[in-house]
Amino acid sequence: MTVTIKDIAEKVGVSVTTVSRVLNNRGYLSDSLKQRVQEAMDELNYQPNELARSLSRRKSHVIGLIIPDISHPFFAQLTKHIEYYAYKHGYKLMLCNSLLHRQKEKEYIDLLRASQVDGIIMGSHTMTVKDYVSIRLPLVTLDRQISPSIPFIASDNYRGGKLATDLLIRKSCRKIAYLSGNLRLHLLAKQRYDAFMETVQSRGVEHVVRETDLNGFKYKDYEPLVQGLFAEHPDIDGVFASSDMLAQQVLRECRRLGRAVPEQVKVVGYDGIQAAGLDELTTIQQPIKEMGRLAVEHLLLHMAGEETPLETILPVRLLERETT
């Protein structure tokens, strides 16, 4: 049998209105009354209806988070930090995994709106600018600049691309490959490619570019992509992979081919994720924890109607390890 607020009121010997005031912390209430209501709730195992309470307060204390793929270590670690800081500020997180499907992302946004979330953090971007503006909820994006009017947070992708490419050239690589997600998605991460191309072209370094399909998180497709790269260009002696996961596949392929790393092939990844088998990888480390913290704090500013920075670019760091 479901326990109701009326049952609590009868148990304590007060009105339903009084119990409601205790639950929503409205008006003056004595500590002894609050304790008696709490004891009655515990005894009867009462579970408050959070949706009803949020509607009465006009605030749900729930934040929506839409990311492409929770199985990707970068997004998994980012989600962990976002949840930590959201909870620290008194908010719960509703997580949505879009897999870069436009219809799925739209359905999740509709769900978040119907669930009365207070704001949304977007780490996915498949719809039009008009679609995002029409959400009419406080919105902050991660590593995606959807519109000049929507605040975004990103690491310095161009600087990261420059650091990685300069390192490979400094290590005397004569033919460098760039591996990335699909460049047609026009994400801020494309600036890594821009930095790579400008650097190798200005320095006259031979180079090759390979990219994944539109869903850059199909890990099973990384193997044939990397195998094809080395089969067509066996003289490659440097690889800049735009994610640590792609770099990991490069290391596997080098082992399979008997190509010594870093003696014959030097490899640089991107993200600085914590995952098995990546401790030796030279990489560009994104400030994942700081990105998560600022995403929450900027969204809270936006939700409060306060001025929010529209553009936040965080510094990256080169971690030189055993693969270069």
Side-chain angles (χ1 to χ4, degrees):
M1 180 178 176
T2 302
V3 178
T4 67
I5 192 172
K6 184 179 178 182
D7 298 322
I8 302 298
E10 290 177 353
K11 178 77 175 175
V12 179
V14 296
S15 68
V16 169
T17 301
T18 298
V19 175
S20 177
R21 286 171 57 208
V22 172
L23 290 173
N24 292 289
N25 197 26
R26 288 180 176 168
Y28 173 75
L29 301 160
S30 69
D31 291 338
S32 62
L33 175 60
K34 291 178 182 178
Q35 184 176 348
R36 285 162 53 206
V37 170
Q38 186 60 56
E39 288 173 352
M41 289 169 57
D42 292 342
E43 185 178 338
L44 298 176
N45 194 26
Y46 173 69
Q47 300 296 322
N49 185 327
E50 286 297 332
L51 180 57
R53 291 175 64 191
S54 69
L55 289 173
S56 70
R57 294 193 305 261
R58 296 189 179 278
K59 207 168 185 186
S60 66
H61 286 288
V62 176
I63 291 173
L65 173 63
I66 302 181
I67 57 171
D69 191 343
I70 192 62
S71 72
H72 192 289
F74 172 78
F75 290 108
Q77 290 171 30
L78 185 59
T79 298
K80 171 189 171 184
H81 295 304
I82 289 173
E83 190 279 333
Y84 171 81
Y85 286 107
Y87 187 80
K88 187 176 180 181
H89 287 282
Y91 285 81
K92 303 296 194 302
L93 201 65
M94 186 177 289
L95 176 64
C96 305
N97 202 52
S98 75
L99 296 179
L100 296 179
H101 294 168
R102 178 173 296 184
Q103 184 58 32
K104 191 173 184 183
E105 186 171 312
K106 183 180 184 304
E107 289 174 3
Y108 270 135
I109 288 174
D110 290 342
L111 171 66
L112 293 175
R113 293 173 67 182
S115 300
Q116 303 286 321
V117 299
D118 295 332
I120 299 175
I121 297 172
M122 292 291 306
S124 181
H125 174 198
T126 62
M127 305 189 304
T128 66
V129 173
K130 182 180 177 182
D131 291 327
Y132 291 106
V133 173
S134 68
I135 293 173
R136 301 195 183 285
L137 277 173
L139 185 68
V140 169
T141 64
L142 281 166
D143 214 27
R144 284 141 175 82
Q145 187 176 20
I146 295 175
S147 160
S149 64
I150 298 175
F152 78 88
I153 295 163
S155 67
D156 193 339
N157 288 283
Y158 187 90
R159 175 66 176 160
K162 188 80 167 61
L163 286 170
T165 311
D166 281 343
L167 175 65
L168 291 171
I169 294 174
R170 192 164 69 248
K171 294 288 184 175
S172 302
C173 293
R174 294 184 300 275
K175 184 172 183 179
I176 305 174
Y178 178 77
L179 294 175
S180 77
N182 195 285
L183 298 171
R184 286 177 291 159
L185 291 173
H186 299 296
L187 304 178
L188 291 175
K190 184 178 178 292
Q191 293 173 3
R192 304 169 196 175
Y193 164 80
D194 295 337
F196 171 81
M197 290 300 294
E198 288 176 20
T199 303
V200 292
Q201 289 176 349
S202 67
R203 303 281 288 277
V205 177
E206 191 175 355
H207 56 278
V208 181
V209 175
R210 289 289 182 275
E211 57 186 300
T212 65
D213 67 8
L214 285 173
N215 184 346
F217 305 111
K218 295 179 180 177
Y219 305 127
K220 61 181 177 61
D221 293 341
Y222 289 1
E223 184 175 349
L225 177 74
V226 175
Q227 286 182 351
L229 171 70
F230 279 96
E232 294 172 33
H233 303 276
D235 54 340
I236 284 172
D237 58 359
V239 178
F240 172 25
S242 67
S243 76
D244 290 343
M245 300 302 288
L246 270 169
Q248 187 176 55
Q249 185 58 52
V250 173
L251 297 178
R252 289 194 188 107
E253 182 63 10
C254 286
R255 284 194 292 269
R256 190 183 75 84
L257 295 173
R259 302 283 300 277
V261 177
E263 292 79 9
Q264 293 175 287
V265 182
K266 293 174 174 57
V267 183
V268 180
Y270 204 106
D271 285 334
I273 58 176
Q274 297 173 350
L278 292 177
D279 292 343
E280 65 179 19
L281 177 66
T282 293
T283 187
I284 304 298
Q285 183 182 54
Q286 297 199 70
I288 302 175
K289 182 178 181 180
E290 185 72 353
M291 291 171 73
R293 181 181 71 82
L294 290 178
V296 172
E297 292 182 0
H298 287 191
L299 183 63
L300 294 181
L301 284 174
H302 198 358
M303 285 158 43
E306 298 182 24
E307 187 174 346
T308 309
L310 290 175
E311 177 179 307
T312 302
I313 307 294
L314 301 174
V316 295
R317 189 159 65 108
L318 171 63
L319 299 180
E320 189 170 355
R321 296 171 176 153
E322 299 169 31
T323 61
T324 53

